[in-house]
Amino acid sequence: MTQDQHRPASGERRLLSRRSVLATMGTLPVITAATSVLGASEAAAATATVNPSAQRQTIRGFGGMAHAAWIGDLTAAQRETAFGTGEGRLGFSILRIPVGESQADFGRDLATAQRAAELGVTVFASPWNPPASMIETFNRNGQTNAKRLRYDQYAAYAQHLNSFSTYMRNNGVNLYAISVQNEPDYAHDWTWWTSTEIVRFLRENAGSINTRVIAPESFQYVKSMSDPILNDSTALANVDIIGAHLYGTPYSNFPYPLFKQKGAGKDLWMTEVYYPNSSDSADTWPQALDVGEHMHRAMVDAEFQAYVWWYIRRSYGPMREDGQLSKRGAIMAQFARFVRPGYVRIDATANPASNVYVSAYRNGDTVVIVAINKGTSAVSQQFTVANAGSAAVSSWLTDASRNVAPQAQTTMSNGSLTVTLPARSMTTFVTSLSGGGSSPSPSPVVSPSPAQSPSPSPSPSGGTGTGPRVTYTMNAWNNGFTAAISITNTGTSTINGWTLSFTLPSGQAITSGWNATYSPSSGQVNAQNVSYNGTIAPGATVDIGFQATHTGNTASPAAFTLNGVPCVVA
């Protein structure tokens, strides 16, 4: 069914009913007023120490849900706003879509998924219901029409998930992962699963699924839904991502000791939430800062690797109905535009002052610091970055009147930076460990079409000194993979125009890429800069990447050259 986007959608009605349930349970997050008193002078906070050597979780990205049947599809322009990384964009690097209940429904979200895939975005899918022929009804605590998957249909259901994955792949979208069930423990309007049933399906059927598997996506991060998976070695072997939702989950329940004990080699994702509610406008300020603290705690306390909002476009969401960023969206962009897939969270003093929250991330020599000041007074905040020298620092600010606004460049001196965090604001700082210019503002990722070619690039030159450094991070699944490449200028002069050359192993072929033009698609590949990233200052890093297929060989390229100069592979 297609819902009028200006009326409450069926999916929204169920969320509002969920809100009533949470209020009854006493776990609905409440908005609290800031306790600090407005003062004429800014307060001084304790030093926030950042340790780039103390690495925590690898970040997969930030994103949101598209659900055309319930809310209407994103327009072409809104897709660029959602997944672009330049000014006025959200910078989302993850898209979640629903799995259609029948093959006739498979294409509903295809257009948005295709554009997201073209832009290098990770796309994953969650089912609400199996095909009707696989369902039986039963009495669940008085709900006489409760639905569950018939035991004799488990294998057929796995094939249904495969059929959706295959359909998407055949239409240019390689799903990164697929879930067993959306919110199996809050399924009044869809299909219930017990933890025992999920474990049985994972043990007996998930091994045949042709992409990564997510489970259990509990609506409130209920550990009794995921503990049995972690405690069953066979089920755990057949799941790749422990997924959770955070509706009403108190911060005290964010840490997951059992996952840290038994989840080695698995990912931990937060796959759906809106916060703090769905009743207020997303432009309500300073309430939108609550989203920033929630994301901070999801990264630092819970150590999630992904953070995914509910509807991308909605009155309470990151994108308003007019397609522009809301205040909540600007807060999300302070993370999403700058902390990109493959970055690693590093240790930082998480709460150097009352109402101040700090987290930090690293990719090669690039360090990103995200600082939130929820207080009503400005704060003088010193950051010290261990083993860092002096480097330029770029920053972006969101407050009552600005949305991810670029600020004047400053300098980190001998690993120390002191800044003012304005009252009720969020700031993202980007700098370099090795000195030189800081990383530039991320630019929109656009794949050239036949009618659109990149602007001419400067002729390759510069880069004297030691060989450039390249990191190559590969995430592979059964017949596809993505590759994230970082190029660092370790020389003493600026590189003006560059071409990175490498040979793809046999059977690998590039299908799409970002931040560079790739030619040819297989064999010896040349990745050439595009108009906005042709200059690499000494010590600076450029991030590029691509999506590709493989026929079983998932080896990495053996060597790289930049403008003909052999690179050091980190």
Side-chain angles (χ1 to χ4, degrees), residues 224-304:
S224 61
M225 292 297 294
S226 48
D227 283 356
I229 300 172
L230 293 167
N231 286 322
D232 188 300
S233 59
T234 304
L236 185 60
N238 287 334
V239 73
D240 302 280
I241 301 167
I242 299 295
H245 299 179
L246 291 180
Y247 289 108
T249 309
Y251 290 142
S252 60
N253 285 352
F254 274 30
Y256 199 179
L258 185 65
F259 179 83
K260 293 178 73 70
Q261 176 188 349
K262 296 191 174 183
K266 310 298 178 180
D267 273 15
L268 184 64
W269 287 22
M270 198 291 293
T271 55
E272 183 189 312
V273 78
Y274 58 74
Y275 190 88
N277 57 47
S278 63
S279 56
D280 294 333
S281 165
D283 287 317
T284 303
W285 189 266
Q287 186 199 82
L289 278 172
D290 292 346
V291 176
E293 181 185 353
H294 196 259
M295 296 179 72
H296 164 88
R297 290 182 180 269
M299 296 294 106
V300 175
D301 298 351
E303 297 187 77
F304 285 118

Side-chain angles (χ1 to χ4, degrees), residues 32-332:
T32 56
T35 56
S36 57
V37 179
L38 183 63
S41 59
E42 58 185 53
T47 299
T49 301
V50 178
N51 184 359
S53 298
Q55 300 191 0
R56 302 305 173 192
Q57 76 269 31
T58 298
I59 305 303
R60 303 302 183 195
F62 303 86
M65 179 91 191
H67 201 313
W70 284 0
I71 205 67
D73 202 0
L74 298 178
T75 67
Q78 289 166 356
R79 292 168 194 145
E80 306 307 309
T81 299
F83 307 119
T85 56
E87 300 299 323
R89 312 293 178 93
L90 280 166
F92 280 177
S93 51
I94 294 179
L95 170 66
R96 182 181 184 228
I97 59 174
V99 177
E101 295 177 22
S102 69
Q103 293 195 8
D105 301 327
F106 282 1
R108 282 177 172 166
D109 297 279
L110 181 61
T112 290
Q114 285 174 326
R115 184 57 183 150
E118 289 171 356
L119 298 177
V121 170
T122 295
V123 182
F124 77 98
S126 299
W128 268 247
N129 289 302
S133 61
M134 300 180 188
I135 292 174
E136 65 181 2
T137 58
F138 70 108
N139 188 321
R140 185 186 185 278
N141 300 328
Q143 183 187 353
T144 58
N145 64 343
K147 294 185 291 188
R148 69 185 172 201
L149 178 66
R150 288 164 37 198
Y151 288 155
D152 64 355
Q153 293 296 308
Y154 276 29
Y157 181 56
Q159 183 54 48
H160 170 70
L161 299 180
N162 278 342
S163 294
F164 182 78
S165 176
T166 299
Y167 171 87
M168 297 302 290
R169 181 171 61 251
N170 289 342
N171 285 278
V173 180
N174 286 319
L175 288 183
Y176 185 85
I178 201 164
S179 174
V180 173
Q181 173 65 47
N182 170 75
E183 295 183 356
D185 53 341
Y186 189 82
H188 301 86
D189 297 322
W190 45 87
T191 304
W192 294 96
W193 291 64
T194 66
S195 59
T196 300
E197 290 166 341
I198 290 176
V199 167
R200 175 176 174 173
F201 180 83
L202 291 174
R203 287 177 59 91
E204 298 178 3
N205 304 101
S208 67
I209 294 176
N210 60 17
T211 188
R212 294 178 183 84
V213 175
I214 303 174
E217 288 201 281
S218 163
F219 95 103
Q220 206 174 26
Y221 204 8
V222 176
K223 305 301 196 298
S224 61
M225 292 297 294
S226 48
D227 283 356
I229 300 172
L230 293 167
N231 286 322
D232 188 300
S233 59
T234 304
L236 185 60
N238 287 334
V239 73
D240 302 280
I241 301 167
I242 299 295
H245 299 179
L246 291 180
Y247 289 108
T249 309
Y251 290 142
S252 60
N253 285 352
F254 274 30
Y256 199 179
L258 185 65
F259 179 83
K260 293 178 73 70
Q261 176 188 349
K262 296 191 174 183
K266 310 298 178 180
D267 273 15
L268 184 64
W269 287 22
M270 198 291 293
T271 55
E272 183 189 312
V273 78
Y274 58 74
Y275 190 88
N277 57 47
S278 63
S279 56
D280 294 333
S281 165
D283 287 317
T284 303
W285 189 266
Q287 186 199 82
L289 278 172
D290 292 346
V291 176
E293 181 185 353
H294 196 259
M295 296 179 72
H296 164 88
R297 290 182 180 269
M299 296 294 106
V300 175
D301 298 351
E303 297 187 77
F304 285 118
Q305 295 168 262
Y307 186 100
V308 183
W309 192 267
W310 179 226
Y311 293 134
I312 293 175
R313 184 197 64 221
R314 203 57 175 157
S315 63
Y316 55 85
M319 184 189 296
R320 302 195 305 252
E321 291 290 354
D322 65 2
Q324 301 303 306
L325 265 66
S326 67
K327 280 296 184 184
R328 289 181 182 179
I331 292 298
M332 293 191 72

